[in-house]
Amino acid sequence: MLLKTFGSSFGVTAVGLVLAAVLWGWKGFAVVAILSILEISLSFDNAVVNAGLLKKMNAFWQKIFLTIGILIAVFGMRLVFPVVIVAVTAGVGPIEAVQLAMDDPEKYEMLVTDAHPAIAAFGGMFLLMIFLDFVFEEREHTWLGRIERPLARLGRVEGLSVCIGLIALLVTATTIATDAAQHGGGHVDKSATVLLSGVAGLVTYLVVGGLSGHFENKLEEGEETDQEAEEKALKEGRQPAVGRQPAVVGLAGRAAFFMFLYLEVLDASFSFDGVIGAFAITNDIFWMALGLGIGAMYVRSLTVYLVRRGTLDEYVYLEHGAHYAIGALAVLLLVSIKWHINEVVTGLLGVALIAFSFWSSVRRNRAVAASEENSGDEFKVTTTV
């Protein structure tokens, strides 16, 4: 199963690294390899969250996520997105932006860096809303119970997550963004830009996430109606409607489509820090696209692996750890509008939170198994007596 799931990623890695070595020598090979590792370390929490959503979708849409979705992730976010940023910032066409990246990579890097406040505000608000909606929702399992249970009770207040998100954006725009860092060490007032971009990120989350949730609920209501009709027919001694599909294994149709859009926007938000962070290593857009693209392939494969192995069901705190990592990344993105945050810190923080949640899950599973074993022994003793 491991080879089947990661086979395409291994193949792309081999082709990409060979291509880098042939075209750009050992330096290109090393940079592409480092960028691949950077993307994987920064996006591990992305894979865990993706898996939690992808397991709700049927096999067809999971395949779409791995094919069309990877094209959007690799070519759209890792190659086209930086070019679009430069085109908009510099007021030039896409072709001129690519030409600028090849002829004057230093200026290209400067334009992308100067656009960072807008990018960070959009991605930071989108990720912050994901985190807030997670911690304000009541769940069967709680990882950090003393924190999560009170927050879940607060979450009963309608619109609380949006309110807190807007407060966070206002604080960022009126404090951090007034002295935003720019290329070369300068600082400018980016309050209006950050405010506009942050609102755009929040609205994007509400629209795409809301439509996805709406159609998911409609699908579940339809399944419940069909099940009730089948039970009624059996009680009355009638044969249930022939040809009706049993309970759907995964989301399909419009529900899956909007879930797919939600996943792509989520991936885009995660990729922002990877793209910006890549400039600390190289300003060659082709090295960057190849390295980050290889990393994105592993994130996709890891997502599917977690779904097929049922890892999230077995290790119940993994999603908690990933969402806390998302919250931390959202805060770091907003803070990075003014202060540079080393990519190593971002990557290690996410990995540490997920590793801690995994360890907590293992301890919980052992405790549950021991409890069940003790219960079984007590039952045997009682039966014997």
Side-chain angles (χ1 to χ4, degrees):
M1 179 179 178
L2 187 65
L3 183 60
K4 181 180 178 181
T5 306
F6 286 89
S8 58
S9 297
F10 294 153
V12 169
T13 302
V15 172
L17 292 177
V18 169
L19 187 64
V22 171
L23 294 179
W24 304 301
W26 287 110
K27 181 179 179 181
F29 175 90
V31 170
V32 168
I34 292 170
L35 287 171
S36 303
I37 296 170
L38 171 70
E39 180 68 9
I40 295 170
S41 65
L42 289 175
S43 301
F44 192 84
D45 45 357
N46 187 10
V48 177
V49 176
N50 282 354
L53 298 172
L54 196 65
K55 68 181 182 180
K56 300 178 181 179
M57 301 165 74
N58 64 16
F60 171 77
W61 279 99
Q62 290 183 8
K63 188 174 292 185
I64 290 293
F65 177 75
L66 274 179
T67 52
I68 298 176
I70 195 64
L71 290 176
I72 296 173
V74 174
F75 296 103
M77 288 310 304
R78 275 73 179 180
L79 180 60
V80 177
F81 174 68
V83 171
V84 170
I85 291 176
V86 172
V88 173
T89 305
V92 299
I95 297 176
E96 289 84 355
V98 173
Q99 195 68 41
L100 178 65
M102 293 187 295
D103 296 340
D104 193 354
E106 295 293 334
K107 185 177 180 181
Y108 176 84
E109 179 185 352
M110 179 192 73
L111 291 171
V112 175
T113 303
D114 289 348
H116 176 68
I119 299 168
F122 181 96
M125 285 305 299
F126 187 89
L127 295 176
L128 181 62
M129 291 305 301
I130 292 173
F131 169 71
L132 291 175
D133 276 348
F134 180 85
V135 296
F136 285 143
E137 183 179 345
E138 292 187 2
R139 301 185 173 277
E140 180 183 356
H141 303 288
T142 56
W143 180 33
L144 307 177
R146 293 183 179 180
I147 298 175
E148 294 174 8
R149 281 190 287 269
L151 289 176
R153 288 193 291 270
L154 282 175
R156 297 169 188 170
V157 178
E158 192 72 25
L160 181 62
S161 59
V162 176
C163 181
I164 292 179
L166 287 173
I167 291 173
L169 178 60
L170 284 172
V171 171
T172 302
T174 55
T175 56
I176 295 174
T178 57
D179 195 26
Q182 295 288 275
H183 186 79
H187 290 79
V188 295
D189 187 349
K190 287 280 187 177
S191 300
T193 300
V194 166
L195 193 60
L196 182 62
S197 300
V199 169
L202 190 148
V203 170
T204 301
Y205 171 80
L206 292 176
V207 171
V208 179
L211 287 172
S212 174
H214 169 72
F215 286 112
E216 183 179 351
N217 291 335
K218 293 284 285 184
L219 184 64
E220 290 175 354
E221 289 172 6
E223 291 177 13
E224 290 175 1
T225 302
D226 289 341
Q227 187 175 357
E228 289 172 1
E230 182 177 337
E231 291 174 355
K232 182 178 180 181
L234 291 173
K235 287 181 179 179
E236 296 175 355
R238 295 184 289 105
Q239 186 69 21
V242 179
R244 186 185 68 78
Q245 292 291 330
V248 180
V249 175
L251 295 183
R254 287 177 295 181
F257 172 72
F258 283 106
M259 182 71 77
F260 172 76
L261 289 183
Y262 180 80
L263 280 167
E264 291 306 313
V265 177
L266 177 64
D267 178 77
S269 299
F270 269 98
S271 69
F272 290 155
D273 64 323
V275 172
I276 298 299
F279 281 104
I281 299 171
T282 180
N283 51 23
D284 188 303
I285 61 169
F286 300 108
W287 293 8
M288 195 181 303
L290 188 56
L292 298 181
I294 291 173
M297 284 291 297
Y298 281 95
V299 174
R300 281 297 197 276
S301 296
L302 181 59
T303 298
V304 175
Y305 180 80
L306 293 173
V307 172
R308 292 176 178 171
R309 285 293 302 269
T311 305
L312 299 185
D313 295 327
E314 183 178 356
Y315 302 101
V316 295
Y317 299 139
L318 268 181
E319 281 191 89
H320 294 73
H323 279 87
Y324 279 104
I326 284 178
L329 177 58
V331 172
L332 290 177
L333 275 173
L334 295 176
V335 170
S336 69
I337 292 172
K338 182 175 181 178
W339 296 284
H340 173 70
I341 307 296
N342 192 291
E343 291 72 33
V344 175
V345 174
T346 307
L348 289 180
L349 181 59
V351 171
L353 285 167
I354 292 175
F356 183 40
S357 65
F358 176 79
W359 177 70
S360 299
S361 299
V362 171
R363 289 186 60 191
R364 172 196 173 274
N365 292 346
R366 289 175 178 172
V368 169
S371 176
E372 291 177 350
E373 185 177 341
N374 290 336
S375 298
D377 293 340
E378 289 176 4
F379 176 74
K380 289 179 182 178
V381 171
T382 304
T383 306
T384 304
V385 174

